Amino acid sequence: MSTKKAISTSFVAIFILIITQIIAQSIASMFVIIKIPTGICNIIAGIIYAGLTYLILKMFISKIIKLPTSDFGMPKFAIKIRWILIAVLLPFVIKGSYLLIFNGKYVSSNMNGNQMFNTLSAGVAFTGIAAGFVEEMVFRGVILNALKKRWNIKVAVIVPSMLFGIVHVLGQDFSIGSCLLVIIAGTMVGVMFSMIAIESGSVWNSGIVHAIWNVVIIGGGLAIGEKMDKYSIMTYVLNSKDFAITGGEFGIESSVISLFGYIIVAGIAFFMIKSRKN
């Protein structure tokens, strides 16, 4: 694959992500107008977002790039048991560590039943499952493999991972310290997802880890941070104001504790790859 084709393919994949997200949210908004409950619309939006992204990427890869989707980390859908276990353990161990080790207090957002359903449906279906799989199809599927075909596996892992980290600070009014922490943690989580996709041979495995992480950490149930999250049913407000512990303005996803978890999981995947080669 030429340099021009690899770069253009990467930009097209990101463009598809943006467009499908807008389409999904627009269709869901139309359903809201005709009085379909917001919670149901959130679920519909998630299904459209993930399904439409997959279909457009599949057409783009097969019709424009003229290669099988399996070459871009999207073979027949299958998930390995070991990555399902990691997907569950990683967020629960990290979240449990905060609840057990660090002092804080539980603060309720005082939502009613309907508000809770709306919050959880958006957090689970759209921000959680759909966004997790879509981002994996784009970043660890199309972009990683396009760069790998043009350069090598190191470039393919590092460049999209750094891009993944930088994307999370765009448009945010964060301090310099928080921005650096987000970029470092975002890059490392990108490396972790890349290692999982490479080890397993598909984005479906990194997708399940990404999706469950999103659901547990930012899914709208119990948030953890230095201040109350009005978009979650309950928040465990930490007494600590150390931004390395709290993750600063971005939250615990960019904390050193989460960073340590990313490194461990990435290391496990890396050693699996190395042992297989040996």
Side-chain angles (χ1 to χ4, degrees):
M1 184 176 286
S2 67
T3 299
K4 181 179 179 180
K5 190 170 184 179
I7 293 174
S8 62
T9 296
S10 300
F11 276 109
V12 169
I14 293 173
F15 179 73
I16 290 171
L17 180 153
I18 294 169
I19 291 300
T20 53
Q21 185 176 107
I22 292 171
I23 291 172
Q25 290 175 327
S26 299
I27 293 173
S29 296
M30 291 170 61
F31 281 118
V32 170
I33 292 172
I34 60 173
K35 306 301 182 183
I36 300 230
T38 301
I40 300 298
C41 292
N42 291 335
I43 296 171
I44 293 171
I47 294 170
I48 293 171
Y49 184 31
L52 189 59
T53 302
Y54 173 71
L55 290 174
I56 295 176
L57 285 176
K58 185 176 181 180
M59 285 193 299
F60 173 64
I61 292 167
S62 60
K63 304 297 184 182
I64 307 299
I65 303 178
K66 298 187 184 302
L67 288 171
T69 53
S70 58
D71 277 17
F72 289 84
M74 288 177 269
K76 183 179 178 181
F77 187 86
I79 298 174
K80 296 181 179 180
I81 294 295
R82 59 174 170 267
W83 292 118
I84 295 176
L85 294 174
I86 292 291
V88 173
L89 284 173
L90 178 63
F92 278 104
V93 168
I94 288 175
K95 210 163 192 178
S97 298
Y98 275 96
L99 298 177
L100 293 172
I101 298 172
F102 298 100
N103 292 324
K105 62 179 180 179
Y106 291 95
V107 179
S108 173
S109 296
N110 296 316
M111 295 182 183
N112 58 37
N114 188 53
Q115 290 171 323
M116 287 184 185
F117 177 60
N118 294 344
T119 297
L120 290 175
S121 62
V124 174
F126 194 86
T127 309
I129 298 171
F133 277 99
V134 166
E135 289 176 12
E136 290 310 300
M137 285 188 280
V138 169
F139 284 93
R140 261 62 65 177
V142 177
I143 297 177
L144 184 149
N145 285 288
L147 299 187
K148 178 184 173 184
K149 290 177 186 297
R150 172 58 187 89
W151 287 284
N152 54 58
I153 192 64
K154 291 179 181 178
V155 171
V157 169
I158 294 170
V159 172
S161 296
M162 291 182 66
L163 177 62
F164 190 71
I166 292 169
V167 162
H168 284 78
V169 299
L170 296 179
Q172 302 290 344
D173 187 24
F174 291 164
S175 66
I176 293 175
S178 288
C179 283
L180 289 174
L181 201 58
V182 171
I183 291 171
I184 292 169
T187 300
M188 193 60 233
V189 78
V191 170
M192 178 188 77
F193 290 138
S194 297
M195 290 293 100
I196 295 171
I198 292 166
E199 188 283 328
S200 62
S202 85
V203 298
W204 311 131
N205 292 278
S206 57
I208 195 66
V209 178
H210 196 157
I212 293 180
W213 171 270
N214 285 354
V215 169
V216 176
I217 302 298
I218 58 171
L222 173 65
I224 299 176
E226 55 186 17
K227 60 183 179 180
M228 190 194 83
D229 181 2
K230 63 181 180 179
Y231 299 107
S232 294
I233 295 171
M234 184 79 69
T235 304
Y236 185 68
V237 180
L238 298 166
N239 292 338
S240 174
K241 300 303 176 185
D242 184 341
F243 83 101
I245 298 297
T246 65
E249 293 146 293
F250 192 78
I252 64 169
E253 286 184 283
S254 62
S255 70
V256 293
I257 294 173
S258 293
L259 182 60
F260 187 59
Y262 306 150
I263 293 170
I264 290 174
V265 174
I268 291 170
F270 177 76
F271 283 112
M272 285 180 180
I273 294 167
K274 294 292 288 185
S275 62
R276 183 180 300 162
K277 287 183 178 179
N278 292 334

